[in-house]
């Protein structure tokens, strides 16, 4: 109860690093093949998948850039999981392909928890995130969500 938010932010950063490593290590050959093709999409996926390293670094240093990237990263994660859940809930051509939808629910729940705890007043004060920056970040993230859904809908 007497530990400061900085302790929990750093613990989250270390836990995030461990989870990221567990997920990224099996895919290392894929990223190596991406660089041999040098296709734009392949490089973009690589940058997106390795962006948590910047988040982790800046969060561990208690820098507000880490908070900003965390919000953007989990906005993308939340949006993609929500869209996928909605997409797979509807049977296609009368068939249910048996996709395990619980993965999407867990991702949505985890992203929601990150949003909740990252926007607590004590966390924002520790990371020196102003109210104005918080509101602008949330507005930008909301705009990105809208753009994502519009692009997925074919606009």
């Amino acid at each position: 109860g007497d530990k400061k938010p900085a302790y929990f932010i750093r613990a989250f950063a270390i836990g995030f690093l461990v989870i990221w490593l567990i997920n990224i290590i099996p895919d290392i050959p894929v990223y190596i093949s991406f660089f041999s093709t040098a296709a734009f999409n392949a490089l973009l996926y690589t940058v997106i998948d390795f962006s948590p390293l910047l988040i982790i670094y800046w969060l561990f240093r208690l820098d507000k850039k880490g908070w900003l990237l965390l919000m953007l990263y989990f906005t993308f994660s939340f949006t993609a999981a929500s869209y996928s859940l909605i997409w797979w809930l509807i049977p296609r051509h009368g068939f249910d392909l048996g996709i395990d939808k619980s993965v999407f629910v867990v991702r949505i729940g985890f992203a929601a928890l990150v949003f909740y705890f990252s926007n607590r007043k004590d966390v924002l004060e520790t990371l020196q995130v102003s109210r104005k920056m918080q509101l602008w970040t949330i507005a930008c993230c909301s705009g990105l969500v809208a753009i994502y859904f519009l692009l997925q809908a074919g606009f």
Side-chain angles (χ1 to χ4, degrees), residues 59-97:
L59 277 179
F60 197 81
R61 292 193 61 211
L62 302 176
D63 193 333
K64 64 179 139 188
K65 291 178 273 194
W67 178 85
L68 176 70
L69 288 176
L70 185 74
M71 292 296 101
L72 290 172
Y73 183 83
F74 277 99
T75 296
F76 180 74
S77 177
F78 179 86
T79 305
S82 299
Y83 181 81
S84 297
L85 180 64
I86 293 166
W87 178 260
W88 290 111
L89 280 176
I90 303 167
R92 303 287 165 215
H93 306 291
F95 295 103
D96 184 6
L97 298 177

Short mmCIF file of all heavy atoms in Angstrom, two decimals, residues 59-97:
data_model
loop_
_atom_site.label_atom_id
_atom_site.label_comp_id
_atom_site.label_asym_id
_atom_site.label_seq_id
_atom_site.Cartn_x
_atom_site.Cartn_y
_atom_site.Cartn_z
N LEU A 59 8.86 3.75 -20.42
CA LEU A 59 8.10 3.56 -19.19
C LEU A 59 9.03 3.28 -18.02
O LEU A 59 8.82 3.78 -16.91
CB LEU A 59 7.09 2.42 -19.34
CG LEU A 59 5.77 2.76 -20.00
CD1 LEU A 59 4.90 1.52 -20.09
CD2 LEU A 59 5.04 3.86 -19.27
N PHE A 60 10.04 2.47 -18.26
CA PHE A 60 10.97 2.14 -17.17
C PHE A 60 11.71 3.40 -16.70
O PHE A 60 12.01 3.54 -15.53
CB PHE A 60 11.97 1.06 -17.61
CG PHE A 60 12.66 0.42 -16.47
CD1 PHE A 60 12.04 -0.58 -15.74
CD2 PHE A 60 13.93 0.82 -16.07
CE1 PHE A 60 12.66 -1.17 -14.65
CE2 PHE A 60 14.56 0.24 -14.99
CZ PHE A 60 13.93 -0.77 -14.28
N ARG A 61 11.97 4.31 -17.63
CA ARG A 61 12.63 5.57 -17.27
C ARG A 61 11.64 6.62 -16.76
O ARG A 61 12.02 7.73 -16.45
CB ARG A 61 13.36 6.13 -18.48
CG ARG A 61 14.55 5.26 -18.87
CD ARG A 61 15.46 5.90 -19.84
NE ARG A 61 16.01 7.13 -19.26
CZ ARG A 61 16.34 8.19 -19.98
NH1 ARG A 61 16.18 8.18 -21.27
NH2 ARG A 61 16.83 9.26 -19.40
N LEU A 62 10.35 6.24 -16.68
CA LEU A 62 9.27 7.12 -16.23
C LEU A 62 9.15 8.37 -17.10
O LEU A 62 8.96 9.48 -16.61
CB LEU A 62 9.45 7.50 -14.75
CG LEU A 62 9.52 6.34 -13.77
CD1 LEU A 62 9.79 6.84 -12.37
CD2 LEU A 62 8.26 5.51 -13.82
N ASP A 63 9.23 8.16 -18.39
CA ASP A 63 9.13 9.24 -19.37
C ASP A 63 7.72 9.22 -19.97
O ASP A 63 7.18 8.16 -20.27
CB ASP A 63 10.17 9.03 -20.47
CG ASP A 63 10.36 10.24 -21.36
OD1 ASP A 63 9.40 11.03 -21.51
OD2 ASP A 63 11.46 10.40 -21.91
N LYS A 64 7.15 10.40 -20.17
CA LYS A 64 5.79 10.47 -20.69
C LYS A 64 5.67 9.96 -22.12
O LYS A 64 4.59 9.60 -22.57
CB LYS A 64 5.23 11.88 -20.56
CG LYS A 64 5.93 12.93 -21.35
CD LYS A 64 5.24 14.27 -21.13
CE LYS A 64 6.25 15.37 -20.98
NZ LYS A 64 5.63 16.61 -20.58
N LYS A 65 6.78 9.88 -22.86
CA LYS A 65 6.73 9.32 -24.21
C LYS A 65 6.32 7.85 -24.16
O LYS A 65 5.64 7.36 -25.05
CB LYS A 65 8.09 9.47 -24.91
CG LYS A 65 8.44 10.89 -25.26
CD LYS A 65 9.80 10.97 -25.91
CE LYS A 65 10.83 11.08 -24.82
NZ LYS A 65 12.14 11.47 -25.22
N GLY A 66 6.72 7.16 -23.10
CA GLY A 66 6.31 5.77 -22.93
C GLY A 66 4.81 5.66 -22.74
O GLY A 66 4.17 4.77 -23.29
N TRP A 67 4.24 6.58 -21.97
CA TRP A 67 2.79 6.58 -21.77
C TRP A 67 2.06 6.83 -23.08
O TRP A 67 1.08 6.17 -23.40
CB TRP A 67 2.40 7.63 -20.73
CG TRP A 67 0.93 7.73 -20.51
CD1 TRP A 67 0.17 6.96 -19.67
CD2 TRP A 67 0.02 8.61 -21.18
NE1 TRP A 67 -1.15 7.33 -19.77
CE2 TRP A 67 -1.27 8.33 -20.69
CE3 TRP A 67 0.17 9.60 -22.13
CZ2 TRP A 67 -2.39 9.01 -21.12
CZ3 TRP A 67 -0.95 10.28 -22.57
CH2 TRP A 67 -2.21 9.99 -22.06
N LEU A 68 2.56 7.82 -23.84
CA LEU A 68 1.94 8.15 -25.12
C LEU A 68 1.95 6.96 -26.08
O LEU A 68 0.93 6.59 -26.66
CB LEU A 68 2.66 9.35 -25.76
CG LEU A 68 2.19 9.76 -27.14
CD1 LEU A 68 0.81 10.37 -27.08
CD2 LEU A 68 3.17 10.73 -27.75
N LEU A 69 3.10 6.32 -26.21
CA LEU A 69 3.19 5.15 -27.09
C LEU A 69 2.38 3.98 -26.56
O LEU A 69 1.81 3.21 -27.34
CB LEU A 69 4.65 4.74 -27.28
CG LEU A 69 5.50 5.66 -28.15
CD1 LEU A 69 6.94 5.19 -28.17
CD2 LEU A 69 4.94 5.74 -29.55
N LEU A 70 2.31 3.84 -25.24
CA LEU A 70 1.49 2.79 -24.64
C LEU A 70 0.02 2.98 -25.02
O LEU A 70 -0.66 2.02 -25.38
CB LEU A 70 1.66 2.80 -23.12
CG LEU A 70 0.95 1.70 -22.35
CD1 LEU A 70 1.70 0.38 -22.56
CD2 LEU A 70 0.91 2.04 -20.87
N MET A 71 -0.45 4.20 -24.96
CA MET A 71 -1.83 4.49 -25.32
C MET A 71 -2.07 4.17 -26.80
O MET A 71 -3.07 3.55 -27.16
CB MET A 71 -2.19 5.95 -25.05
CG MET A 71 -2.25 6.34 -23.59
SD MET A 71 -3.53 5.48 -22.67
CE MET A 71 -2.57 4.23 -21.85
N LEU A 72 -1.15 4.58 -27.67
CA LEU A 72 -1.30 4.30 -29.10
C LEU A 72 -1.26 2.80 -29.38
O LEU A 72 -2.07 2.27 -30.14
CB LEU A 72 -0.22 5.02 -29.90
CG LEU A 72 -0.34 6.54 -29.95
CD1 LEU A 72 0.90 7.14 -30.61
CD2 LEU A 72 -1.59 6.95 -30.68
N TYR A 73 -0.32 2.11 -28.75
CA TYR A 73 -0.16 0.67 -28.98
C TYR A 73 -1.39 -0.10 -28.53
O TYR A 73 -1.92 -0.95 -29.25
CB TYR A 73 1.08 0.17 -28.25
CG TYR A 73 1.38 -1.28 -28.48
CD1 TYR A 73 2.07 -1.68 -29.61
CD2 TYR A 73 0.98 -2.25 -27.57
CE1 TYR A 73 2.35 -3.03 -29.85
CE2 TYR A 73 1.26 -3.59 -27.79
CZ TYR A 73 1.94 -3.97 -28.92
OH TYR A 73 2.21 -5.29 -29.15
N PHE A 74 -1.89 0.20 -27.33
CA PHE A 74 -3.04 -0.53 -26.83
C PHE A 74 -4.34 -0.07 -27.47
O PHE A 74 -5.31 -0.83 -27.48
CB PHE A 74 -3.09 -0.51 -25.30
CG PHE A 74 -2.21 -1.57 -24.71
CD1 PHE A 74 -0.95 -1.27 -24.24
CD2 PHE A 74 -2.61 -2.89 -24.69
CE1 PHE A 74 -0.12 -2.25 -23.74
CE2 PHE A 74 -1.79 -3.89 -24.19
CZ PHE A 74 -0.55 -3.57 -23.71
N THR A 75 -4.37 1.13 -28.01
CA THR A 75 -5.53 1.53 -28.81
C THR A 75 -5.60 0.65 -30.05
O THR A 75 -6.67 0.15 -30.41
CB THR A 75 -5.45 3.01 -29.22
OG1 THR A 75 -5.50 3.80 -28.04
CG2 THR A 75 -6.57 3.40 -30.16
N PHE A 76 -4.47 0.47 -30.71
CA PHE A 76 -4.43 -0.39 -31.89
C PHE A 76 -4.79 -1.83 -31.52
O PHE A 76 -5.59 -2.48 -32.20
CB PHE A 76 -3.06 -0.35 -32.55
CG PHE A 76 -2.96 -1.22 -33.76
CD1 PHE A 76 -3.57 -0.84 -34.95
CD2 PHE A 76 -2.30 -2.42 -33.71
CE1 PHE A 76 -3.49 -1.65 -36.07
CE2 PHE A 76 -2.22 -3.23 -34.82
CZ PHE A 76 -2.81 -2.85 -36.01
N SER A 77 -4.25 -2.32 -30.43
CA SER A 77 -4.53 -3.69 -29.99
C SER A 77 -6.01 -3.86 -29.65
O SER A 77 -6.64 -4.83 -30.06
CB SER A 77 -3.67 -4.01 -28.76
OG SER A 77 -3.97 -5.28 -28.26
N PHE A 78 -6.58 -2.90 -28.91
CA PHE A 78 -7.99 -2.95 -28.53
C PHE A 78 -8.89 -2.91 -29.76
O PHE A 78 -9.85 -3.66 -29.88
CB PHE A 78 -8.30 -1.77 -27.59
CG PHE A 78 -9.73 -1.70 -27.15
CD1 PHE A 78 -10.14 -2.42 -26.04
CD2 PHE A 78 -10.65 -0.92 -27.81
CE1 PHE A 78 -11.46 -2.36 -25.61
CE2 PHE A 78 -11.96 -0.85 -27.40
CZ PHE A 78 -12.37 -1.58 -26.29
N THR A 79 -8.56 -2.01 -30.69
CA THR A 79 -9.37 -1.84 -31.89
C THR A 79 -9.33 -3.08 -32.77
O THR A 79 -10.36 -3.55 -33.25
CB THR A 79 -8.90 -0.61 -32.68
OG1 THR A 79 -8.93 0.52 -31.80
CG2 THR A 79 -9.77 -0.35 -33.88
N ALA A 80 -8.13 -3.61 -32.99
CA ALA A 80 -7.99 -4.80 -33.83
C ALA A 80 -8.70 -6.00 -33.21
O ALA A 80 -9.39 -6.76 -33.91
CB ALA A 80 -6.52 -5.12 -34.06
N ALA A 81 -8.59 -6.16 -31.90
CA ALA A 81 -9.26 -7.27 -31.23
C ALA A 81 -10.78 -7.10 -31.28
O ALA A 81 -11.52 -8.07 -31.48
CB ALA A 81 -8.79 -7.39 -29.78
N SER A 82 -11.26 -5.87 -31.10
CA SER A 82 -12.71 -5.61 -31.17
C SER A 82 -13.24 -5.90 -32.57
O SER A 82 -14.28 -6.55 -32.72
CB SER A 82 -13.01 -4.16 -30.81
OG SER A 82 -12.60 -3.87 -29.52
N TYR A 83 -12.53 -5.43 -33.58
CA TYR A 83 -12.96 -5.67 -34.94
C TYR A 83 -12.96 -7.17 -35.25
O TYR A 83 -13.91 -7.69 -35.85
CB TYR A 83 -12.05 -4.93 -35.94
CG TYR A 83 -12.49 -5.14 -37.36
CD1 TYR A 83 -13.53 -4.39 -37.90
CD2 TYR A 83 -11.88 -6.09 -38.17
CE1 TYR A 83 -13.95 -4.58 -39.19
CE2 TYR A 83 -12.30 -6.29 -39.47
CZ TYR A 83 -13.33 -5.54 -39.98
OH TYR A 83 -13.75 -5.74 -41.26
N SER A 84 -11.92 -7.87 -34.83
CA SER A 84 -11.84 -9.31 -35.08
C SER A 84 -12.95 -10.06 -34.37
O SER A 84 -13.54 -10.99 -34.93
CB SER A 84 -10.47 -9.85 -34.64
OG SER A 84 -9.45 -9.26 -35.39
N LEU A 85 -13.24 -9.66 -33.13
CA LEU A 85 -14.31 -10.31 -32.39
C LEU A 85 -15.65 -10.11 -33.10
O LEU A 85 -16.41 -11.06 -33.29
CB LEU A 85 -14.39 -9.77 -30.96
CG LEU A 85 -15.49 -10.36 -30.08
CD1 LEU A 85 -15.24 -11.85 -29.85
CD2 LEU A 85 -15.56 -9.63 -28.75
N ILE A 86 -15.92 -8.88 -33.52
CA ILE A 86 -17.16 -8.61 -34.24
C ILE A 86 -17.21 -9.41 -35.54
O ILE A 86 -18.23 -10.01 -35.88
CB ILE A 86 -17.30 -7.09 -34.52
CG1 ILE A 86 -17.49 -6.33 -33.22
CG2 ILE A 86 -18.44 -6.81 -35.48
CD1 ILE A 86 -17.30 -4.83 -33.33
N TRP A 87 -16.10 -9.45 -36.26
CA TRP A 87 -16.03 -10.15 -37.54
C TRP A 87 -16.30 -11.65 -37.38
O TRP A 87 -17.04 -12.24 -38.16
CB TRP A 87 -14.66 -9.92 -38.16
CG TRP A 87 -14.46 -10.64 -39.46
CD1 TRP A 87 -13.79 -11.80 -39.65
CD2 TRP A 87 -14.96 -10.27 -40.74
NE1 TRP A 87 -13.83 -12.17 -40.96
CE2 TRP A 87 -14.55 -11.24 -41.66
CE3 TRP A 87 -15.72 -9.20 -41.20
CZ2 TRP A 87 -14.86 -11.18 -43.01
CZ3 TRP A 87 -16.02 -9.15 -42.55
CH2 TRP A 87 -15.60 -10.12 -43.42
N TRP A 88 -15.70 -12.26 -36.36
CA TRP A 88 -15.82 -13.72 -36.20
C TRP A 88 -17.08 -14.14 -35.46
O TRP A 88 -17.40 -15.33 -35.42
CB TRP A 88 -14.59 -14.30 -35.54
CG TRP A 88 -13.41 -14.24 -36.45
CD1 TRP A 88 -12.30 -13.46 -36.30
CD2 TRP A 88 -13.21 -14.97 -37.66
NE1 TRP A 88 -11.43 -13.65 -37.34
CE2 TRP A 88 -11.97 -14.58 -38.19
CE3 TRP A 88 -13.97 -15.90 -38.37
CZ2 TRP A 88 -11.48 -15.09 -39.38
CZ3 TRP A 88 -13.47 -16.41 -39.55
CH2 TRP A 88 -12.24 -16.00 -40.04
N LEU A 89 -17.81 -13.22 -34.86
CA LEU A 89 -19.07 -13.59 -34.21
C LEU A 89 -20.16 -13.92 -35.22
O LEU A 89 -21.07 -14.69 -34.93
CB LEU A 89 -19.55 -12.45 -33.29
CG LEU A 89 -18.89 -12.39 -31.93
CD1 LEU A 89 -19.39 -11.17 -31.15
CD2 LEU A 89 -19.08 -13.65 -31.12
N ILE A 90 -20.06 -13.33 -36.39
CA ILE A 90 -21.06 -13.54 -37.43
C ILE A 90 -20.65 -14.75 -38.27
O ILE A 90 -19.57 -14.75 -38.87
CB ILE A 90 -21.18 -12.30 -38.34
CG1 ILE A 90 -21.52 -11.06 -37.51
CG2 ILE A 90 -22.18 -12.54 -39.46
CD1 ILE A 90 -21.36 -9.76 -38.24
N PRO A 91 -21.47 -15.79 -38.32
CA PRO A 91 -21.12 -16.96 -39.16
C PRO A 91 -21.05 -16.56 -40.63
O PRO A 91 -21.88 -15.80 -41.13
CB PRO A 91 -22.26 -17.95 -38.92
CG PRO A 91 -22.92 -17.49 -37.67
CD PRO A 91 -22.69 -16.01 -37.59
N ARG A 92 -20.06 -17.04 -41.32
CA ARG A 92 -19.86 -16.74 -42.73
C ARG A 92 -20.50 -17.82 -43.59
O ARG A 92 -20.15 -19.00 -43.46
CB ARG A 92 -18.37 -16.64 -43.07
CG ARG A 92 -17.65 -15.61 -42.25
CD ARG A 92 -18.01 -14.22 -42.71
NE ARG A 92 -17.58 -13.28 -41.69
CZ ARG A 92 -18.23 -12.19 -41.40
NH1 ARG A 92 -19.33 -11.89 -42.01
NH2 ARG A 92 -17.80 -11.38 -40.48
N HIS A 93 -21.44 -17.45 -44.44
CA HIS A 93 -22.11 -18.38 -45.37
C HIS A 93 -22.72 -19.56 -44.63
O HIS A 93 -22.68 -20.68 -45.10
CB HIS A 93 -21.15 -18.87 -46.46
CG HIS A 93 -20.48 -17.75 -47.19
ND1 HIS A 93 -21.15 -16.91 -48.04
CD2 HIS A 93 -19.19 -17.31 -47.16
CE1 HIS A 93 -20.30 -16.01 -48.53
NE2 HIS A 93 -19.11 -16.24 -48.01
N GLY A 94 -23.23 -19.30 -43.43
CA GLY A 94 -23.88 -20.36 -42.66
C GLY A 94 -22.92 -21.26 -41.91
O GLY A 94 -23.34 -22.20 -41.25
N PHE A 95 -21.61 -20.99 -41.98
CA PHE A 95 -20.62 -21.83 -41.30
C PHE A 95 -19.92 -21.04 -40.21
O PHE A 95 -19.56 -19.88 -40.39
CB PHE A 95 -19.55 -22.33 -42.28
CG PHE A 95 -20.08 -23.23 -43.34
CD1 PHE A 95 -20.28 -22.77 -44.63
CD2 PHE A 95 -20.38 -24.55 -43.05
CE1 PHE A 95 -20.77 -23.59 -45.61
CE2 PHE A 95 -20.88 -25.39 -44.03
CZ PHE A 95 -21.07 -24.91 -45.32
N ASP A 96 -19.74 -21.68 -39.09
CA ASP A 96 -18.92 -21.12 -38.03
C ASP A 96 -17.56 -21.80 -38.15
O ASP A 96 -17.46 -23.02 -38.03
CB ASP A 96 -19.54 -21.37 -36.66
CG ASP A 96 -18.76 -20.71 -35.54
OD1 ASP A 96 -17.80 -19.95 -35.83
OD2 ASP A 96 -19.10 -20.94 -34.37
N LEU A 97 -16.53 -21.02 -38.42
CA LEU A 97 -15.21 -21.60 -38.65
C LEU A 97 -14.52 -22.08 -37.38
O LEU A 97 -13.41 -22.58 -37.43
CB LEU A 97 -14.32 -20.60 -39.40
CG LEU A 97 -14.83 -20.22 -40.78
CD1 LEU A 97 -13.92 -19.18 -41.40
CD2 LEU A 97 -14.94 -21.44 -41.67
#
